[in-house]
Amino acid sequence: MYRSTGTTSASDSVTCMETTEYMKSSETDSCESGCNKGGKGHAQRSIEAGRETRFTGQEGPSGFGFELTFRLKREVGETAPPTWPAELMQGLARYVFQSENTFCSGDHISWHSPLDNSESRIQHMLLTEDPQISPVHTPFGLVNFLQIVGVCTEELQAAQQWNGQGILELLRGVHVAGGPWLITDMRRGETMFDIDPHLQQERVDQGIETEGSNLSGVSAKCVWDDLSRPSEDEEDSRSICIGSQPRRLSEKDTEQIREALRKGLEFNTKAALPPINSQKQGHDRPQSRKDSLESESSAAIIPHELVRTRQLESVHLKFNQESGTLLPLCLRGRLLHGRHFTYKSINGDTAITFVSTGVEGAFATEEHPYAAHGPWLQILLTEEFVEQMLGDLSELNTREETKLPKEYSWPEKKLKISVLPDSVFDNPLQ
């Protein structure tokens, strides 16, 4: 649902800007008759991938547990709110239903197109807690309100390399880039780094150096191949491979792997993923200072008799250009800080996780740095090798588009990486 208002009040020290406010429920794909302009109504039942969501009670989330809001600066002469923000939020809600991935404050959304289909530089989004609307407890559970904030490509990249919350805080301090209410101005022609060049070096670069990145996973176009196994060997399932029909996992196995990966990727604003053990951790147990790749219910989610772990001798990783440009972030912002980074394929259950030697719970080890658990590949990289890769992949740091395909190979490590056009992933069997 959405609501429109003439103005949004601001603090005494900030000039009031004319805005249009929108609100879209994550629970319904279209506004039902129960919705109202006050923004309080939402569907009593939510639909997930064609099935009703299980009732969780008042203590759990209502549906997916959030609604989307949006604050848009009113155009000169505009007498009625545009419809594109509601369509944008419906597209995001549709993604949530289809992928069953939820949104959290600090998340970023790579859109790669002006949000209003104009020539605007505002082509991506960050998400934050709505500054005005507090969480609501309903008879069907808790509902949080997440505000969409439109950003430029350079601001999105800074959020990826550092963290979304840090960039949102900087945007709040630059009035024309958002201000305290994080109002999106689709006619904004400058990034906050153009407006205040010191922000990049003094805040973002320093933050990356001292804190690293808190982005631990992205949905991506990626695949991997086991080069150590003869092509005619089909005894074990592996990742989706380009040019051949992938072996399908059973529905039960697929759901188990998806659940395991989702549990990890949901925690992308924290330093550690939940621990892998059959018993839940007690609240009084001291948290490890090391990063962890463990999950709360490994034995229940992926029994070893269903999917066994395999050590691989040689692997070939394939990414599209957008995913490839995140490799330096993965290495510098995550692995050099003792963390992990996961690429989760948007085309299936395939996942590629890079881990450092300080990560606990990984099934890849220094002795066997490449290991696969069904379609989930883990790659353990030493700090020395990470530094070498950063030098070899330095051209991926540039903002200019790289001529594709590009191949990088480390024969002594038996590792190969290819950056390929999107068309290869969109039509994998051609």
Side-chain angles (χ1 to χ4, degrees):
M1 60 187 166
Y2 78 89
R3 62 175 180 165
S4 61
T5 61
T7 60
T8 296
S9 61
S11 63
D12 295 338
S13 61
V14 180
T15 303
C16 181
M17 302 178 68
E18 286 198 338
T19 68
T20 299
E21 297 182 7
Y22 294 84
M23 180 153 50
K24 177 71 176 73
S25 172
S26 65
E27 298 187 348
T28 59
D29 196 36
S30 61
C31 185
E32 299 187 4
S33 58
C35 300
N36 62 70
K37 288 190 177 181
K40 300 296 184 182
H42 60 275
Q44 296 183 1
R45 295 181 299 175
S46 62
I47 305 299
E48 291 185 21
R51 67 180 186 275
E52 290 189 5
T53 302
R54 183 178 68 254
F55 177 71
T56 59
Q58 295 187 17
E59 299 303 319
S62 174
F64 285 96
F66 67 91
E67 294 192 6
L68 297 173
T69 68
F70 190 69
R71 285 178 171 78
L72 174 67
K73 183 180 179 182
R74 179 178 292 182
E75 299 285 347
V76 176
E78 194 173 53
T79 58
T83 59
W84 64 263
E87 296 170 357
L88 177 72
M89 289 189 282
Q90 279 200 338
L92 295 176
R94 195 173 298 114
Y95 161 79
V96 172
F97 297 148
Q98 293 174 352
S99 68
E100 299 186 13
N101 292 327
T102 58
F103 292 136
C104 301
S105 179
D107 282 355
H108 73 269
I109 301 171
S110 305
W111 201 250
H112 300 288
S113 177
L115 304 187
D116 61 352
N117 296 315
S118 67
E119 299 299 320
S120 174
R121 292 188 68 178
I122 307 300
Q123 301 187 8
H124 309 281
M125 293 166 271
L126 299 179
L127 296 177
T128 185
E129 295 176 354
D130 191 288
Q132 282 183 307
I133 310 176
S134 301
V136 175
H137 288 274
T138 77
F140 307 98
L142 180 67
V143 178
N144 291 294
F145 294 88
L146 296 178
Q147 180 180 335
I148 298 170
V149 181
V151 295
C152 303
T153 298
E154 294 82 355
E155 293 157 354
L156 171 83
Q157 292 172 339
Q160 292 173 328
Q161 294 167 5
W162 183 26
N163 65 73
Q165 297 290 7
I167 298 303
L168 287 163
E169 190 59 35
L170 295 182
L171 288 169
R172 289 187 181 97
V174 182
H175 181 67
V176 297
W181 298 99
L182 293 173
I183 297 169
T184 298
D185 179 3
M186 293 304 298
R187 304 284 77 83
R188 175 160 67 97
E190 294 180 306
T191 72
M192 65 174 176
F193 304 118
D194 296 328
I195 299 168
D196 186 351
H198 296 289
L199 291 177
Q200 177 70 51
Q201 183 175 3
E202 296 179 3
R203 298 293 299 277
V204 178
D205 290 346
Q206 183 178 357
I208 296 171
E209 182 68 25
T210 58
E211 304 168 18
S213 172
N214 73 345
L215 179 68
S216 67
V218 294
S219 297
K221 292 183 178 180
C222 62
V223 295
W224 61 269
D225 286 327
D226 177 6
L227 299 183
S228 56
R229 190 182 68 174
S231 58
E232 64 274 8
D233 180 8
E234 297 183 356
E235 289 300 316
D236 296 309
S237 63
R238 60 170 176 171
S239 65
I240 297 174
C241 59
I242 295 175
S244 64
Q245 181 65 36
R247 175 170 179 169
R248 295 183 181 276
L249 291 169
S250 69
E251 183 177 349
K252 182 178 179 181
D253 291 356
T254 298
E255 179 58 30
Q256 289 172 328
I257 293 170
R258 182 184 293 114
E259 179 68 17
L261 293 173
R262 183 167 65 243
K263 280 182 178 292
L265 297 185
E266 283 178 357
F267 287 80
N268 65 342
T269 59
K270 297 183 179 180
L273 300 181
I276 292 183
N277 51 55
S278 57
Q279 297 180 353
K280 204 167 186 178
Q281 270 190 329
H283 294 293
D284 55 347
R285 177 177 172 180
Q287 187 174 0
S288 172
R289 294 179 61 185
K290 294 183 179 180
D291 211 1
S292 172
L293 246 181
E294 302 179 339
S295 164
E296 283 186 344
S297 48
S298 73
I301 293 174
I302 308 181
H304 285 282
E305 61 269 19
L306 293 179
V307 183
R308 69 183 181 87
T309 301
R310 296 180 293 118
Q311 282 77 43
L312 313 179
E313 293 296 324
S314 178
V315 294
H316 184 189
L317 313 181
K318 304 174 185 179
F319 302 96
N320 73 334
Q321 182 156 20
E322 181 185 4
S323 303
T325 58
L326 291 177
L327 284 169
L329 153 69
C330 161
L331 300 173
R332 177 178 292 107
R334 297 293 297 177
L335 270 66
L336 286 184
H337 290 265
R339 301 170 185 168
H340 54 81
F341 189 87
T342 296
Y343 290 92
K344 172 68 176 65
S345 173
I346 62 175
N347 296 322
D349 292 320
T350 301
I352 301 170
T353 296
F354 292 88
V355 299
S356 66
T357 53
V359 172
E360 297 178 344
F363 45 81
T365 64
E366 290 191 58
E367 184 180 1
H368 299 288
Y370 313 131
H373 201 57
W376 186 5
L377 174 69
Q378 286 188 10
I379 298 178
L380 188 145
L381 302 177
T382 63
E383 183 175 343
E384 181 182 4
F385 189 25
V386 168
E387 295 284 4
Q388 179 185 346
M389 292 180 67
L390 280 170
D392 296 336
L393 299 173
S394 58
E395 64 181 327
L396 296 178
N397 275 318
T398 64
R399 293 176 180 173
E400 299 179 0
E401 289 197 3
T402 306
K403 186 177 180 181
L404 303 180
K406 294 290 294 184
E407 289 197 352
Y408 307 90
S409 182
W410 298 269
E412 71 283 3
K413 299 292 186 179
K414 299 183 179 179
L415 175 63
K416 182 178 179 181
I417 294 178
S418 296
V419 182
L420 306 170
D422 277 18
S423 58
V424 177
F425 300 87
D426 297 335
N427 302 286
L429 302 183
Q430 293 184 1

